[in-house]
Amino acid sequence: MNINQLDLRQAIMYKMQGSTAGDVMDTINDAVTTGQEKTLPGLGVLFEVLWQHSDSAAKQQMAGTISQYIPSQASSPVGT
């Protein structure tokens, strides 16, 4: 497989196809609990699905919740 030809969104949707709400919940909980960087693209794709299928009010609520919990100051991810 040529990694340059990999469609990450499609690969994640393929892996998640047929998932129940419980399966999705388990996947999200596992990704958040382990905190592994490799799970971030999958969470991003799941969030994209949620965003695309939400109305304006739901999008505003999600954006408000996220902004509420983003710190006003954070440490640099690169050591100095």
Coordinates of all heavy atoms in Angstrom, one line a residue:
M1 N 0.8 -1.2 0.0 CA 0.0 0.0 0.0 C 0.9 1.2 0.0 O 1.8 1.3 0.8 CB -0.9 0.0 1.2 CG -1.7 1.3 1.4 SD -2.3 1.7 3.0 CE -3.6 0.6 3.2
N2 N 0.5 2.2 -0.8 CA 1.3 3.4 -0.9 C 0.6 4.4 0.0 O -0.6 4.8 -0.2 CB 1.2 4.0 -2.3 CG 2.0 5.3 -2.5 OD1 2.4 5.9 -1.5 ND2 2.3 5.6 -3.7
I3 N 1.3 4.8 1.1 CA 0.7 5.7 2.1 C 0.3 7.0 1.5 O -0.7 7.6 2.0 CB 1.7 5.9 3.3 CG1 1.0 6.5 4.5 CG2 2.9 6.7 2.9 CD1 0.1 5.6 5.2
N4 N 0.9 7.4 0.4 CA 0.5 8.7 -0.2 C -0.9 8.6 -0.9 O -1.5 9.6 -1.2 CB 1.6 9.1 -1.2 CG 2.9 9.5 -0.6 OD1 2.9 10.0 0.6 ND2 4.0 9.2 -1.2
Q5 N -1.3 7.4 -1.1 CA -2.6 7.2 -1.8 C -3.7 6.9 -0.8 O -4.9 6.8 -1.1 CB -2.6 6.1 -2.8 CG -1.6 6.4 -3.9 CD -1.5 5.3 -4.9 OE1 -1.9 4.1 -4.6 NE2 -1.0 5.5 -6.1
L6 N -3.4 6.9 0.5 CA -4.4 6.6 1.6 C -5.3 7.8 1.8 O -4.9 8.9 2.0 CB -3.7 6.3 2.9 CG -4.6 6.0 4.1 CD1 -5.4 4.7 3.9 CD2 -3.7 5.9 5.3
D7 N -6.6 7.6 1.7 CA -7.6 8.6 2.0 C -8.0 8.3 3.5 O -8.8 7.4 3.7 CB -8.8 8.4 1.1 CG -9.9 9.5 1.3 OD1 -10.0 10.0 2.5 OD2 -10.6 9.8 0.4
L8 N -7.5 9.1 4.4 CA -7.7 8.8 5.8 C -9.1 8.9 6.2 O -9.6 8.1 7.0 CB -6.8 9.8 6.6 CG -6.8 9.6 8.1 CD1 -6.2 8.2 8.4 CD2 -5.9 10.6 8.8
R9 N -9.8 9.9 5.7 CA -11.3 10.0 6.0 C -12.0 8.7 5.6 O -12.8 8.1 6.3 CB -11.9 11.2 5.3 CG -11.7 12.5 6.0 CD -12.4 13.6 5.2 NE -12.2 14.9 5.8 CZ -11.2 15.7 5.6 NH1 -10.2 15.3 4.8 NH2 -11.1 16.8 6.2
Q10 N -11.7 8.2 4.4 CA -12.4 7.1 3.8 C -12.0 5.8 4.6 O -12.8 5.0 4.9 CB -12.0 6.9 2.4 CG -12.9 5.8 1.7 CD -14.4 6.1 1.7 OE1 -14.8 7.3 1.6 NE2 -15.2 5.1 1.8
A11 N -10.7 5.7 5.0 CA -10.3 4.6 5.8 C -11.0 4.5 7.2 O -11.4 3.5 7.6 CB -8.7 4.7 6.0
I12 N -11.2 5.7 7.8 CA -11.9 5.7 9.1 C -13.3 5.4 8.9 O -13.9 4.6 9.7 CB -11.6 7.1 9.8 CG1 -10.2 7.2 10.2 CG2 -12.6 7.3 11.0 CD1 -9.7 8.6 10.5
M13 N -14.0 5.9 7.9 CA -15.4 5.6 7.6 C -15.5 4.1 7.3 O -16.5 3.5 7.8 CB -15.9 6.5 6.5 CG -16.0 7.9 6.9 SD -17.0 8.3 8.3 CE -18.6 8.1 7.6
Y14 N -14.6 3.5 6.6 CA -14.6 2.1 6.3 C -14.5 1.3 7.6 O -15.3 0.3 7.8 CB -13.4 1.7 5.4 CG -13.4 0.3 5.0 CD1 -14.2 -0.3 4.0 CD2 -12.5 -0.6 5.7 CE1 -14.2 -1.6 3.7 CE2 -12.5 -1.9 5.4 CZ -13.3 -2.4 4.4 OH -13.3 -3.8 4.1
K15 N -13.6 1.7 8.5 CA -13.4 1.0 9.7 C -14.7 1.1 10.6 O -15.0 0.2 11.4 CB -12.2 1.5 10.5 CG -11.9 0.8 11.8 CD -10.7 1.2 12.5 CE -10.5 0.4 13.7 NZ -9.4 0.8 14.5
M16 N -15.3 2.2 10.6 CA -16.5 2.5 11.4 C -17.8 2.0 10.8 O -18.8 2.1 11.5 CB -16.6 4.0 11.8 CG -15.4 4.5 12.6 SD -15.2 3.8 14.2 CE -16.7 4.3 15.0
Q17 N -17.8 1.6 9.6 CA -19.1 1.3 8.9 C -19.8 0.2 9.7 O -19.2 -0.7 10.3 CB -18.9 0.8 7.5 CG -18.2 -0.5 7.4 CD -17.8 -0.9 5.9 OE1 -18.4 -0.3 5.0 NE2 -16.9 -1.8 5.7
G18 N -21.1 0.4 9.8 CA -22.0 -0.6 10.5 C -21.9 -0.4 12.1 O -22.5 -1.2 12.8
S19 N -21.2 0.6 12.6 CA -21.1 0.8 14.0 C -22.4 1.2 14.6 O -23.1 2.0 14.1 CB -20.0 1.8 14.3 OG -18.7 1.4 13.9
T20 N -22.7 0.7 15.8 CA -23.8 1.1 16.6 C -23.4 2.4 17.4 O -22.3 2.7 17.5 CB -24.3 0.0 17.6 OG1 -23.2 -0.1 18.5 CG2 -24.6 -1.3 16.9
A21 N -24.4 3.0 18.0 CA -24.1 4.2 18.8 C -23.2 3.8 20.0 O -22.3 4.5 20.3 CB -25.4 4.8 19.4
G22 N -23.4 2.6 20.5 CA -22.5 2.1 21.5 C -21.1 1.9 21.1 O -20.1 2.2 21.8
D23 N -20.9 1.4 19.8 CA -19.6 1.2 19.3 C -18.9 2.6 19.1 O -17.7 2.7 19.4 CB -19.7 0.6 17.9 CG -20.2 -0.9 17.9 OD1 -20.1 -1.6 18.9 OD2 -20.8 -1.3 16.9
V24 N -19.7 3.6 18.6 CA -19.1 4.9 18.5 C -18.7 5.5 19.8 O -17.6 6.0 20.0 CB -20.1 5.8 17.7 CG1 -19.6 7.3 17.7 CG2 -20.3 5.3 16.3
M25 N -19.6 5.3 20.8 CA -19.3 5.8 22.2 C -18.0 5.1 22.7 O -17.1 5.8 23.3 CB -20.5 5.5 23.1 CG -20.2 5.9 24.5 SD -20.5 7.7 24.8 CE -22.3 7.6 25.1
D26 N -17.9 3.8 22.5 CA -16.7 3.1 23.0 C -15.4 3.6 22.3 O -14.4 3.8 22.9 CB -16.8 1.6 22.7 CG -17.9 0.9 23.6 OD1 -18.3 1.6 24.7 OD2 -18.3 -0.2 23.3
T27 N -15.5 3.9 21.0 CA -14.4 4.4 20.2 C -14.0 5.7 20.7 O -12.8 6.0 20.9 CB -14.8 4.4 18.7 OG1 -15.1 3.1 18.2 CG2 -13.6 5.0 17.9
I28 N -14.9 6.6 20.9 CA -14.6 8.0 21.4 C -14.0 7.9 22.8 O -13.0 8.5 23.1 CB -15.9 8.9 21.4 CG1 -16.3 9.1 19.9 CG2 -15.6 10.2 22.1 CD1 -17.6 9.7 19.7
N29 N -14.7 7.1 23.7 CA -14.2 7.0 25.1 C -12.8 6.5 25.1 O -11.9 6.9 25.9 CB -15.1 6.2 25.9 CG -16.3 6.9 26.4 OD1 -16.3 8.1 26.6 ND2 -17.4 6.2 26.6
D30 N -12.5 5.4 24.3 CA -11.2 4.8 24.2 C -10.1 5.9 23.8 O -9.1 6.0 24.3 CB -11.2 3.6 23.3 CG -9.8 2.9 23.3 OD1 -9.3 2.5 24.3 OD2 -9.3 2.8 22.2
A31 N -10.5 6.6 22.7 CA -9.6 7.6 22.2 C -9.3 8.7 23.2 O -8.1 9.1 23.4 CB -10.1 8.2 20.9
V32 N -10.3 9.2 23.9 CA -10.1 10.3 24.8 C -9.4 9.8 26.1 O -8.5 10.4 26.6 CB -11.5 10.9 25.2 CG1 -11.4 11.8 26.4 CG2 -12.1 11.6 24.0
T33 N -9.7 8.6 26.5 CA -9.1 8.0 27.7 C -7.6 7.7 27.5 O -6.8 8.0 28.4 CB -9.8 6.7 28.1 OG1 -11.2 7.0 28.4 CG2 -9.2 6.1 29.4
T34 N -7.2 7.1 26.4 CA -5.8 6.8 26.1 C -5.0 8.0 25.8 O -3.8 8.1 26.1 CB -5.7 5.8 25.0 OG1 -6.1 6.3 23.8 CG2 -6.4 4.5 25.3
G35 N -5.6 9.0 25.2 CA -4.9 10.3 24.9 C -3.8 10.1 23.9 O -2.9 10.9 23.8
Q36 N -3.9 9.1 23.1 CA -2.8 8.8 22.1 C -3.0 9.7 20.9 O -4.1 9.9 20.4 CB -2.9 7.3 21.6 CG -2.5 6.4 22.7 CD -2.5 4.9 22.2 OE1 -2.7 4.7 21.1 NE2 -2.3 4.0 23.2
E37 N -1.9 10.3 20.4 CA -1.9 11.2 19.3 C -2.5 10.5 18.0 O -3.2 11.2 17.2 CB -0.5 11.7 18.9 CG 0.1 12.5 20.0 CD -0.5 13.9 20.1 OE1 -0.7 14.5 19.0 OE2 -0.6 14.5 21.2
K38 N -2.3 9.2 17.9 CA -2.8 8.5 16.7 C -4.3 8.4 16.6 O -4.8 8.2 15.5 CB -2.2 7.1 16.6 CG -2.7 6.2 17.6 CD -2.0 4.8 17.5 CE -2.6 3.8 18.5 NZ -2.0 2.5 18.4
T39 N -5.0 8.7 17.7 CA -6.5 8.6 17.6 C -7.1 10.0 17.2 O -8.3 10.0 16.9 CB -7.1 8.2 19.0 OG1 -6.7 9.2 20.0 CG2 -6.5 6.9 19.4
L40 N -6.3 11.0 17.2 CA -6.8 12.4 16.9 C -7.5 12.5 15.5 O -8.5 13.0 15.3 CB -5.8 13.4 17.1 CG -5.3 13.7 18.5 CD1 -4.2 14.7 18.6 CD2 -6.5 14.1 19.4
P41 N -6.8 11.9 14.4 CA -7.5 12.0 13.1 C -8.9 11.3 13.1 O -9.8 11.8 12.5 CB -6.5 11.3 12.2 CG -5.2 11.4 12.9 CD -5.5 11.3 14.3
G42 N -9.0 10.2 13.8 CA -10.3 9.5 13.8 C -11.3 10.3 14.5 O -12.5 10.4 14.1
L43 N -11.0 10.9 15.6 CA -11.9 11.8 16.3 C -12.3 13.0 15.4 O -13.4 13.4 15.4 CB -11.3 12.3 17.7 CG -11.1 11.3 18.8 CD1 -10.4 11.9 19.9 CD2 -12.5 10.7 19.2
G44 N -11.3 13.5 14.7 CA -11.6 14.6 13.8 C -12.6 14.2 12.7 O -13.5 15.0 12.4
V45 N -12.5 13.0 12.2 CA -13.4 12.5 11.2 C -14.8 12.4 11.8 O -15.8 12.8 11.2 CB -12.9 11.2 10.5 CG1 -14.0 10.6 9.6 CG2 -11.7 11.5 9.7
L46 N -14.9 11.8 13.0 CA -16.2 11.6 13.6 C -16.8 13.0 14.0 O -18.0 13.2 13.8 CB -16.0 10.8 14.9 CG -15.6 9.4 14.7 CD1 -15.5 8.7 16.1 CD2 -16.6 8.6 13.8
F47 N -16.0 14.0 14.4 CA -16.5 15.3 14.6 C -17.0 15.9 13.3 O -18.0 16.6 13.3 CB -15.4 16.2 15.3 CG -16.0 17.6 15.6 CD1 -16.8 17.8 16.6 CD2 -15.6 18.6 14.8 CE1 -17.3 19.1 16.9 CE2 -16.1 19.9 15.0 CZ -17.0 20.1 16.1
E48 N -16.3 15.7 12.2 CA -16.7 16.2 10.9 C -18.1 15.7 10.6 O -18.9 16.5 10.1 CB -15.7 15.8 9.9 CG -16.0 16.4 8.5 CD -14.9 16.0 7.5 OE1 -14.7 14.8 7.3 OE2 -14.2 16.9 7.0
V49 N -18.3 14.4 10.8 CA -19.7 13.8 10.5 C -20.7 14.5 11.4 O -21.8 14.9 10.9 CB -19.6 12.3 10.8 CG1 -21.0 11.7 10.7 CG2 -18.7 11.6 9.8
L50 N -20.4 14.7 12.7 CA -21.4 15.3 13.6 C -21.7 16.8 13.1 O -22.8 17.2 13.0 CB -20.8 15.4 15.0 CG -21.6 16.2 16.0 CD1 -22.9 15.5 16.3 CD2 -20.8 16.2 17.3
W51 N -20.6 17.5 12.7 CA -20.8 18.9 12.3 C -21.6 19.0 11.1 O -22.5 19.8 11.0 CB -19.4 19.5 12.1 CG -19.4 21.0 11.9 CD1 -19.4 21.6 10.7 CD2 -19.4 22.0 12.9 NE1 -19.4 23.0 10.9 CE2 -19.4 23.2 12.2 CE3 -19.5 22.0 14.3 CZ2 -19.4 24.4 12.9 CZ3 -19.5 23.2 15.0 CH2 -19.5 24.4 14.3
Q52 N -21.3 18.1 10.1 CA -22.0 18.2 8.8 C -23.5 17.9 9.0 O -24.3 18.3 8.1 CB -21.4 17.2 7.8 CG -20.0 17.6 7.3 CD -19.3 16.6 6.5 OE1 -19.7 15.4 6.5 NE2 -18.3 17.0 5.8
H53 N -23.9 17.1 10.0 CA -25.3 16.7 10.2 C -26.0 17.5 11.4 O -27.0 17.0 11.9 CB -25.4 15.2 10.3 CG -24.9 14.5 9.1 ND1 -23.6 14.2 8.8 CD2 -25.7 14.1 8.0 CE1 -23.6 13.6 7.7 NE2 -24.8 13.5 7.1
S54 N -25.4 18.6 11.7 CA -26.0 19.4 12.8 C -26.5 20.7 12.3 O -26.0 21.2 11.3 CB -24.9 19.7 13.9 OG -24.4 18.6 14.5
D55 N -27.6 21.2 12.9 CA -28.1 22.5 12.5 C -27.3 23.6 13.1 O -26.4 23.4 13.9 CB -29.6 22.6 12.9 CG -29.9 22.5 14.4 OD1 -29.0 22.8 15.2 OD2 -31.1 22.2 14.7
S56 N -27.7 24.8 12.8 CA -27.0 26.0 13.2 C -26.9 26.1 14.7 O -25.9 26.5 15.3 CB -27.6 27.3 12.7 OG -27.6 27.3 11.3
A57 N -28.0 25.8 15.4 CA -28.1 26.0 16.9 C -27.1 24.9 17.5 O -26.4 25.3 18.5 CB -29.5 25.8 17.4
A58 N -27.1 23.7 17.0 CA -26.2 22.7 17.6 C -24.8 23.1 17.3 O -23.9 22.9 18.2 CB -26.6 21.3 17.0
K59 N -24.5 23.6 16.1 CA -23.1 24.0 15.8 C -22.7 25.1 16.8 O -21.5 25.1 17.3 CB -23.0 24.5 14.4 CG -23.0 23.3 13.4 CD -23.0 23.8 12.0 CE -23.0 22.7 11.0 NZ -23.0 23.2 9.6
Q60 N -23.5 26.1 17.0 CA -23.2 27.2 17.9 C -23.0 26.7 19.3 O -22.0 27.1 20.0 CB -24.3 28.2 17.9 CG -24.0 29.5 18.7 CD -22.8 30.2 18.2 OE1 -22.7 30.4 17.0 NE2 -22.0 30.7 19.0
Q61 N -23.8 25.7 19.8 CA -23.6 25.1 21.1 C -22.3 24.4 21.2 O -21.6 24.5 22.2 CB -24.8 24.2 21.4 CG -24.7 23.6 22.8 CD -25.9 22.8 23.2 OE1 -26.7 22.5 22.4 NE2 -25.9 22.4 24.5
M62 N -22.0 23.6 20.2 CA -20.7 22.9 20.2 C -19.5 23.8 20.2 O -18.6 23.6 21.0 CB -20.6 22.0 19.0 CG -21.4 20.7 19.0 SD -21.1 19.6 17.7 CE -22.2 20.3 16.4
A63 N -19.6 24.8 19.4 CA -18.5 25.8 19.3 C -18.3 26.5 20.6 O -17.2 26.8 21.1 CB -18.7 26.8 18.2
G64 N -19.4 26.9 21.3 CA -19.4 27.6 22.6 C -18.8 26.7 23.6 O -18.0 27.1 24.5
T65 N -19.2 25.4 23.7 CA -18.7 24.5 24.6 C -17.2 24.3 24.5 O -16.4 24.3 25.4 CB -19.4 23.1 24.5 OG1 -20.8 23.3 24.8 CG2 -18.8 22.1 25.5
I66 N -16.8 24.1 23.2 CA -15.3 23.9 23.0 C -14.6 25.2 23.4 O -13.5 25.1 24.1 CB -15.1 23.6 21.5 CG1 -15.6 22.2 21.2 CG2 -13.6 23.7 21.1 CD1 -15.7 21.9 19.7
S67 N -15.0 26.4 23.0 CA -14.3 27.6 23.3 C -14.2 27.8 24.8 O -13.3 28.4 25.3 CB -14.9 28.8 22.6 OG -16.2 29.1 23.1
Q68 N -15.3 27.4 25.5 CA -15.3 27.5 27.0 C -14.2 26.7 27.7 O -13.7 27.1 28.7 CB -16.7 27.0 27.5 CG -16.9 27.2 29.0 CD -18.3 26.7 29.4 OE1 -19.1 26.3 28.5 NE2 -18.5 26.6 30.7
Y69 N -13.8 25.6 27.1 CA -12.8 24.8 27.7 C -11.4 24.8 27.1 O -10.5 24.1 27.6 CB -13.3 23.3 27.7 CG -14.5 23.2 28.7 CD1 -15.8 23.2 28.2 CD2 -14.3 23.1 30.0 CE1 -16.9 23.1 29.0 CE2 -15.4 23.1 30.9 CZ -16.7 23.0 30.4 OH -17.8 23.0 31.2
I70 N -11.2 25.7 26.1 CA -9.9 25.9 25.6 C -9.2 26.9 26.6 O -9.8 28.0 26.8 CB -9.9 26.5 24.2 CG1 -10.5 25.4 23.2 CG2 -8.5 26.9 23.7 CD1 -10.7 25.9 21.8
P71 N -8.0 26.6 27.1 CA -7.4 27.5 28.0 C -7.0 28.8 27.4 O -6.7 28.9 26.2 CB -6.1 26.8 28.5 CG -5.9 25.7 27.5 CD -7.2 25.4 26.8
S72 N -7.1 29.9 28.1 CA -6.7 31.2 27.6 C -5.2 31.3 27.4 O -4.8 32.1 26.6 CB -7.2 32.3 28.6 OG -6.6 32.1 29.8
Q73 N -4.5 30.5 28.1 CA -3.0 30.4 27.9 C -2.6 28.9 28.1 O -3.1 28.2 29.0 CB -2.2 31.2 28.9 CG -2.4 32.7 28.7 CD -1.5 33.5 29.7 OE1 -0.9 33.0 30.6 NE2 -1.4 34.8 29.4
A74 N -1.8 28.5 27.2 CA -1.3 27.1 27.2 C 0.2 27.1 27.0 O 0.7 28.0 26.4 CB -2.0 26.3 26.1
S75 N 0.8 26.0 27.5 CA 2.2 25.9 27.3 C 2.5 25.5 25.8 O 1.7 24.9 25.2 CB 2.7 24.7 28.1 OG 2.5 25.0 29.5
S76 N 3.6 26.0 25.4 CA 4.0 25.7 24.0 C 4.2 24.2 23.8 O 4.8 23.5 24.7 CB 5.4 26.4 23.7 OG 5.9 26.0 22.4
P77 N 3.8 23.6 22.7 CA 4.0 22.2 22.5 C 5.5 21.8 22.2 O 5.8 20.7 22.1 CB 3.1 21.9 21.3 CG 3.0 23.2 20.6 CD 3.0 24.2 21.6
V78 N 6.3 22.9 21.9 CA 7.7 22.7 21.6 C 8.5 23.2 22.7 O 8.3 24.3 23.2 CB 8.0 23.5 20.3 CG1 9.5 23.3 19.9 CG2 7.1 23.1 19.1
G79 N 9.4 22.3 23.2 CA 10.2 22.7 24.3 C 11.2 23.8 23.9 O 11.6 23.9 22.8
T80 N 11.5 24.7 24.9 CA 12.4 25.8 24.6 C 13.7 25.6 25.2 O 13.9 24.8 26.1 CB 11.8 27.1 25.1 OG1 11.5 27.0 26.5 CG2 10.5 27.5 24.3

